[in-house]
Amino acid sequence: MDNLTVKGDEVRHGASLYLDALSGELIDSLGDAVLSEAMLRQLNDGSAPITPLTGAQIARHMKTSGEMVLALRLRADDRCIGACRLGDIGWQGRHALLEVAIVDEAHYTVDMLADAIQTVLQFAYWEANLNRIYVHCAEDNTTLLAALKQAGFTDEGRLRQEVYRDGRYLDKVVCSMLSREWSG
Amino acid sequence: MFAVRTLADDVFIGSCGIVNLNMFTHSAEIGINLSHPDYRGKGYGGEIMLLTMRYGFEQFNLNRISLRVMGFNTRAIRLYEKLGFRHEVREREVFFHDGAYFDQLHMGILRPEWEAAHG
């Protein structure tokens, strides 16, 4: 046993965050205040209209959408600041769509998003044995795009006019990372 | 989804359809299946694609139609290029087949491009 490295919880720990079960209690802790317009825009990928939502509603929706949904909690004080999901999993090709929803506006930063993405990647590659993790992002979501770049994702191209907002069409950017490219 | 039958002899040769419809963004994906082996390589694939595209733009009022194709299927990709589809995203290592991963190409055509080419 002395020669074995037991990763344990380490698999689900990042620099500032850790992944946990998304319990009803944690969802409720996200509060019932409607998020700001700026936050709602950041959390919407453009496939559906932007509507007023609370952080708890967004997390609850992610949980009911199934597959691998986990809470994002701060290591410093255990507070839940959002949720993440590995969905649309193709087990033969070992690929999954990653969605990260940090609903606490004070923590919605490039660095925190990149940390959340890195933590989920660690779980996806080490625990879930996936090969390809991809993200769909509206072209005007500069915070998420910067976080994906910081995390080392590759820009695979743009689905033209796949997003509609403010009376005009925008592109949807597709980014991915393969397990062999990950340096975690 | 539709069944495809020949006008000349009423033979069922395959199927086609508009799927993954998003009426908010007015976009959808197109899919065809030319399953009858005797009718392959004779131009039916392009004709089925055009009929389905016309249905998507003129009946569903779509702004965008896209498709996904395996990256190594050069024959199909050439047909889609000829019909006006543009290369948009090369999704790396999506398919696993015979012990290896293969890319998937996502191609799309917008309404103005359809109207300019086929309207």
Side-chain angles (χ1 to χ4, degrees):
Chain A
M1 273 302 281
D2 291 345
N3 294 327
L4 293 175
T5 301
V6 180
K7 294 190 183 299
D9 285 351
E10 195 185 308
V11 173
R12 295 182 294 276
H13 278 62
S16 310
L17 292 161
Y18 68 97
L19 308 178
D20 199 1
L22 185 61
S23 65
E25 190 180 344
L26 283 183
I27 290 174
D28 290 342
S29 76
L30 293 170
D32 57 6
V34 174
L35 300 182
S36 70
E37 187 66 22
M39 281 297 288
L40 291 168
R41 280 172 175 273
Q42 298 283 343
L43 295 167
N44 182 296
D45 76 351
S47 303
I50 295 170
T51 51
L53 291 168
T54 69
Q57 280 178 311
I58 290 171
R60 195 169 290 116
H61 176 73
M62 288 177 81
K63 187 171 184 179
T64 54
S65 66
E67 301 189 286
M68 294 188 198
V69 185
L70 294 160
L72 296 168
R73 301 184 75 171
L74 293 175
R75 292 180 72 155
D77 58 8
D78 292 323
R79 192 148 51 94
C80 181
I81 60 167
C84 59
R85 171 176 179 258
L86 289 168
D88 296 345
I89 297 175
W91 287 111
Q92 188 189 12
R94 293 165 57 209
H95 51 78
L97 173 69
L98 167 62
E99 293 172 319
V100 176
I102 292 178
V103 300
D104 183 322
E105 193 157 4
H107 290 93
Y108 193 88
T109 64
V110 172
D111 287 345
M112 190 62 82
L113 266 174
D115 188 25
I117 290 165
Q118 282 289 358
T119 310
V120 183
L121 288 177
Q122 191 164 268
F123 173 77
Y125 297 136
W126 281 356
E127 198 67 42
N129 196 19
L130 294 168
N131 175 55
R132 168 188 162 82
I133 304 300
Y134 63 99
V135 176
H136 286 176
C137 177
E139 66 172 313
D140 64 347
N141 191 341
T142 52
T143 310
L144 179 55
L145 285 172
L148 290 166
K149 190 176 179 186
Q150 187 171 311
F153 272 66
T154 297
D155 183 338
E156 294 185 324
R158 288 162 172 246
L159 302 171
R160 297 175 302 149
Q161 301 195 6
E162 191 64 68
V163 172
Y164 188 78
R165 59 178 49 155
D166 300 328
R168 67 194 173 111
Y169 285 104
L170 299 172
D171 295 345
K172 184 176 280 186
V173 182
V174 180
C175 296
S176 77
M177 187 182 291
L178 306 176
S179 58
R180 66 172 177 277
E181 298 167 340
W182 184 61
S183 56
Chain B
M1 291 292 288
F2 296 100
V4 179
R5 309 180 79 96
T6 57
L7 286 171
D9 45 16
D10 204 30
V11 175
F12 170 61
I13 62 170
S15 57
C16 65
I18 298 285
V19 296
N20 293 334
L21 193 65
N22 184 327
M23 288 316 291
F24 171 60
T25 57
H26 285 240
S27 67
E29 290 186 42
I30 189 171
I32 69 162
N33 174 29
L34 184 50
S35 52
H36 199 308
D38 296 345
Y39 289 81
R40 290 181 189 149
K42 295 176 179 172
Y44 286 100
E47 191 175 339
I48 298 168
M49 282 291 294
L50 278 174
L51 282 170
T52 315
M53 290 163 76
R54 186 175 300 282
Y55 192 82
F57 283 118
E58 295 184 3
Q59 300 303 319
F60 280 115
N61 193 22
L62 294 174
N63 175 63
R64 163 191 166 79
I65 293 178
S66 67
L67 60 85
R68 288 178 274 188
V69 57
M70 286 197 191
F72 57 74
N73 193 348
T74 49
R75 190 170 162 184
I77 292 168
R78 273 202 300 274
L79 169 65
Y80 302 145
E81 287 169 343
K82 195 174 156 192
L83 293 170
F85 283 86
R86 297 190 188 178
H87 295 232
E88 294 185 335
V89 178
R90 188 170 195 93
E91 297 168 326
R92 300 172 305 152
E93 300 194 5
V94 170
F95 292 108
F96 189 78
H97 180 67
D98 282 345
Y101 283 104
F102 295 95
D103 297 348
Q104 175 173 259
L105 193 59
H106 212 131
M107 304 176 77
I109 183 170
L110 305 178
R111 171 180 281 279
E113 295 162 355
W114 160 262
E115 288 171 345
H118 309 283

